[in-house]
Amino acid sequence: MLAQKQIAILGYGNQGQAHALNLRDSGSSVVIGARPGTGFDRAKADGFSPVSFQDAVQRSEIIMLLLPDQEISKIVQDLQLLLAGKVIGLAHGFAYVFGGIDSLPNCRYFLAGPKGAGAILRARFIEGTFLPGAFAVSHSELKPLAQDYCRGIGINPKLLIETTFREETECDLFGEQAVLCGGIFRLMEMAFETLVKNGASREMAFLETCFEAKTILDLWMKYGPYELSRRISPTAFYGGLTRGKRVVPDEARMELEKIFQEVRSGEFAKEWLEEVENGTPSLSKERERLKKSELDSLYQKMRDNL
Ligand SMILES: NC(=O)c1ccc[n+]([C@@H]2O[C@H](COP(=O)([O-])OP(=O)(O)OC[C@H]3O[C@@H](n4cnc5c(N)ncnc54)[C@H](OP(=O)(O)O)[C@@H]3O)[C@@H](O)[C@H]2O)c1
């Protein structure tokens, strides 16, 4: 089904590159839409002939928007007339749920969201191991197309979950805020600082609180919580059981609930779009802090041997 349709990939960043290469290797016809710059040059180096967004949209039936979520609404506004009647794809539902792009004239929408960064999607496709992912459609007749697209980019059909734009958006935002980019990094950094403050060498502190965070998560994914509990030392298991609750007490559930409700109500989306409107000052400040941080310079020193 997908093989007969021309697909435009708008944006050749993290996801754009992986979707385009995997679709091409799966036999689909892909045209890249990119602005002049990094993505455009990378697409050329990968053997594509990138064109403007307008050209790519005009030539194609399926338009995949692989652009930063906070930019999608503005870009879609500029392309509105050309997009009428097309099938529009997204890798995440933010712009559909909170960005007002859900009702363009005669458009139908699908979501194909791999659970991982573009580089991993591509690497797993080459290995033939494939990533889990989720799909959603605005019209039920688009279901086979969305499933085909997901297969084409290398999502494992056995772990392709049917969802809705809203569910995917809420889960994705909540997951990154509470765990992936919120809880984990903050905990690693605070635990690192505690060890160093108490006299541990920076290298030892890094290995215990950061490097081993990755190895234990890999084991959790390989064995599951029960089997893992039998494979770590009883001392580690007991220490975690009795102290973990102090680090993340039951009261944290209330905060998790609040964070979820901020996502659901659109309060978070509003706050984030205001931050974007103001030129992302908080992001710049935090990046500057991280660049100068002890943890980053230590990582740079050790990275080749990790
Ligand atoms: N990153 C992930 O792990 C991940 C996972 C699943 C889903 N997603 C979703 O995938 C989508 C794309 O994310 P991404 O991480 O691939 O984005 P990204 O790496 O930041 O790539 C964005 C691309 O869009 C272009 N772009 C940015 N602003 C633009 C503008 N104002 N006008 C024209 N082009 C612009 C960039 O061009 P230049 O190269 O010229 O800068 C770049 O090629 C998002 O919906 C995201 O939520 C991401």
Side-chain angles (χ1 to χ4, degrees):
M1 182 182 197
L2 203 65
Q4 286 98 51
K5 298 192 191 303
Q6 179 64 46
I7 305 168
I9 302 281
L10 303 195
Y12 203 76
N14 186 342
Q15 289 290 318
Q17 182 181 35
H19 285 227
L21 292 174
N22 292 359
L23 286 169
R24 183 171 69 183
D25 290 349
S26 301
S28 288
S29 175
V30 176
V31 59
I32 308 299
R35 63 181 176 186
T38 319
F40 188 97
D41 295 344
R42 203 180 310 127
K44 268 174 86 172
D46 285 341
F48 291 105
S49 303
V51 296
S52 67
F53 284 171
Q54 285 82 357
D55 266 10
V57 170
Q58 270 170 329
R59 286 189 205 178
S60 309
E61 208 174 319
I62 299 170
I63 317 298
M64 192 68 188
L65 303 174
L66 295 176
L67 301 155
D69 297 303
Q70 68 280 7
E71 303 289 335
I72 290 179
S73 301
K74 265 185 268 160
I75 294 170
V76 161
Q77 243 170 29
D78 295 343
L79 295 170
Q80 226 180 104
L81 294 175
L82 298 176
L83 285 169
K86 310 269 181 187
V87 173
I88 297 180
L90 294 157
H92 171 44
F94 185 91
Y96 184 91
V97 176
F98 296 119
I101 66 152
D102 57 327
S103 50
L104 296 171
N106 299 322
C107 286
R108 293 173 299 160
Y109 302 81
F110 74 96
L111 182 144
K115 292 288 147 215
I120 300 172
L121 183 66
R122 178 63 181 160
R124 299 271 294 251
F125 180 90
I126 291 169
E127 272 172 29
T129 51
F130 306 127
L131 272 184
F135 79 96
V137 291
S138 63
H139 296 70
S140 56
E141 73 271 13
L142 283 185
K143 212 164 141 174
L145 182 139
Q147 287 166 321
D148 256 17
Y149 185 96
C150 289
R151 259 193 298 275
I153 61 169
I155 294 180
N156 182 350
K158 291 185 189 146
L159 274 176
L160 176 61
I161 315 292
E162 182 165 6
T163 182
T164 62
F165 287 89
R166 177 160 278 278
E167 183 185 58
E168 185 275 341
T169 305
E170 288 179 353
C171 290
D172 194 86
L173 292 176
F174 178 76
E176 60 203 18
Q177 291 172 20
V179 184
L180 311 180
C181 309
I184 290 182
F185 294 158
R186 194 167 159 79
L187 186 57
M188 280 161 52
E189 196 170 346
M190 286 172 82
F192 168 82
E193 286 167 0
T194 305
L195 282 181
V196 171
K197 181 171 149 267
N198 283 285
S201 77
R202 284 158 177 74
E203 288 76 8
M204 276 300 290
F206 177 86
L207 291 179
E208 292 301 339
T209 61
C210 303
F211 179 73
E212 289 211 47
K214 177 185 178 335
T215 56
I216 198 90
L217 277 177
D218 287 344
L219 286 177
W220 196 102
M221 278 303 148
K222 185 162 180 189
Y223 296 112
Y226 168 67
E227 192 51 37
L228 177 65
S229 76
R230 296 168 51 84
R231 286 171 182 262
I232 55 178
S233 75
T235 316
F237 189 39
Y238 180 77
L241 173 68
T242 52
R243 270 53 181 178
K245 286 181 195 153
R246 286 164 53 189
V247 180
V248 187
D250 282 337
E251 294 78 60
R253 287 181 198 282
M254 274 159 54
E255 211 48 53
L256 289 171
E257 180 64 28
K258 269 199 231 162
I259 290 170
F260 179 79
Q261 294 307 335
E262 285 164 16
V263 167
R264 174 160 281 179
S265 66
E267 188 182 333
F268 169 76
K270 185 166 169 284
E271 178 188 321
W272 166 227
L273 292 173
E274 273 167 19
E275 163 84 7
V276 172
E277 208 51 47
N278 293 330
T280 60
S282 319
L283 295 196
S284 309
K285 195 169 156 209
E286 178 62 358
R287 285 210 179 97
E288 207 42 45
R289 184 189 76 79
L290 289 170
K291 195 171 165 189
K292 293 183 188 146
S293 69
E294 194 162 31
L295 206 46
D296 194 71
S297 50
L298 191 59
Y299 168 79
Q300 298 304 336
K301 221 169 71 186
M302 297 172 80
R303 59 178 288 180
D304 289 343
N305 298 310
L306 291 173

